[in-house]
Amino acid sequence: MIHQRHGLFLSAALGFLFLSTAVRVEALTKPDLKVTELTAERQTTTSVPLQIKVALRILNVGTATGAVTFQTRLYYKTSSSAAWQTLYDWSSGALGPNGGAYYSRTFDFTEGGTYYFKAEVDADKNVAEYSEGNNTKTLTKTFAAGTPDLTPENLVAAITSTSSSGASYVKVEWDVKNIGDGKAAGSFVTVLYVSRNGGSYAEVQRYTRSNLDKNLSFHFSRSASFTDFNSLRFKVITDATYLIHERMEGNNTLHSNAVTKQP
């Protein structure tokens, strides 16, 4: 009877060991999807205030194929206390062991600041995985508040009157607008030039202004008398002494219409 009980105990123990081993093998032979990389980099552009390229990489670190389609979802927010907002979804097919995928996409934003990103693989829980605890990866990154971009606009010149001595009074008007996504902090110089009869430009006057917020403008107006000309043409250069670090320097100059002296 003693030997029989020992035999029954040994048989039960072996059965339990076999069952637990089978459970462990089944658990270990599952897919295990993981976000291994998440980056966000500012792109160089003049078309929008802020453009960010987000890239991520996913990998099946498990030992079996996740044989269903699943979603990798990208979220973002601009405050640590805000709720996550979906930014984009990528759809993936079956990934075998050590199989992976790389995704990237460029997104446009209206202003700089701190951005929070989160990537979640198998966001809808379609794949039965060995571990669900490694499906997300987060990233926090601050992008500069923006770069100013000064440009002259609406440059118009016209003769307003003529004196008895033959002098013509010309009024020149224009605006300088900050079309960038950041404030032009500090002083900058705008210079008005004139060309007589197609000759070289000569400086008429320079103006100093400071602290121009984005999407705002300064208005300029200048009246002067001219003699002995057939035509005049004016030119404006803003930030002429390069005091402001701008998003683009190629749009700082504007030419006026030709002003022709009346017979």
Side-chain angles (χ1 to χ4, degrees):
M1 290 294 293
I2 294 174
H3 294 294
Q4 188 175 9
R5 281 200 297 270
H6 285 175
L8 289 172
F9 177 78
L10 180 60
S11 176
L14 289 172
F16 175 78
L17 179 61
F18 175 79
L19 179 61
S20 62
T21 301
V23 170
R24 285 200 302 272
V25 170
E26 181 183 359
L28 290 173
T29 55
K30 283 186 174 183
D32 192 6
L33 301 173
K34 181 179 182 179
V35 180
T36 60
E37 182 182 335
L38 177 61
T39 62
E41 300 296 334
R42 185 174 194 153
Q43 303 299 290
T44 301
T45 180
T46 59
S47 60
V48 293
L50 176 62
Q51 192 173 81
I52 302 175
K53 179 182 179 181
V54 181
L56 60 96
R57 195 179 301 275
I58 61 173
L59 183 67
N60 181 2
V61 297
T63 57
T65 299
V68 295
T69 300
F70 60 91
Q71 303 295 314
T72 299
R73 188 162 297 145
L74 179 66
Y75 306 86
Y76 91 106
K77 58 184 179 179
T78 55
S79 168
S80 59
S81 60
W84 289 107
Q85 300 179 56
T86 298
L87 196 56
Y88 199 76
D89 272 339
W90 290 275
S91 182
S92 304
L95 284 181
N98 295 317
Y102 174 83
Y103 299 110
S104 67
R105 192 170 179 87
T106 300
F107 303 95
D108 295 340
F109 298 94
T110 58
E111 58 186 358
T114 300
Y115 284 79
Y116 303 80
F117 296 98
K118 179 174 74 170
E120 182 178 14
V121 66
D122 190 26
D124 297 325
K125 304 295 184 287
N126 291 331
V127 180
E129 299 182 62
Y130 173 67
S131 172
E132 298 288 351
N134 57 358
N135 283 22
T136 63
K137 194 173 187 67
T138 59
L139 172 69
T140 302
K141 197 161 185 179
T142 299
F143 298 90
T147 306
D149 190 2
L150 302 173
T151 187
E153 297 181 335
N154 310 317
L155 175 57
V156 177
I159 295 176
T160 56
S161 63
T162 302
S163 70
S164 58
S165 63
S168 296
Y169 293 89
V170 179
K171 184 176 184 180
V172 186
E173 292 187 276
W174 71 96
D175 300 308
V176 170
K177 185 174 183 180
N178 181 359
I179 62 172
D181 62 323
K183 181 178 181 178
S187 300
F188 61 93
V189 176
T190 299
V191 183
L192 175 66
Y193 300 86
V194 64
S195 167
R196 295 171 182 262
N197 306 321
S200 59
Y201 280 94
E203 182 177 321
V204 177
Q205 189 171 346
R206 54 181 54 205
Y207 306 81
T208 300
R209 298 289 187 273
S210 59
N211 300 326
L212 184 59
D213 281 318
K214 62 181 181 180
N215 299 321
L216 296 183
S217 301
F218 285 130
H219 182 72
F220 298 82
S221 178
R222 175 72 160 88
S223 293
S225 64
F226 296 90
T227 58
D228 301 324
F229 72 93
N230 293 318
S231 68
L232 299 173
R233 189 178 292 271
F234 295 88
K235 176 177 71 172
V236 168
I237 301 179
T238 192
D239 192 30
T241 54
Y242 301 101
L243 297 177
I244 303 295
H245 174 68
E246 297 186 66
R247 185 174 67 185
M248 182 177 179
E249 297 288 351
N251 58 354
N252 285 19
T253 302
L254 184 63
H255 294 83
S256 77
N257 55 297
V259 178
T260 303
K261 188 173 183 179
Q262 301 298 318

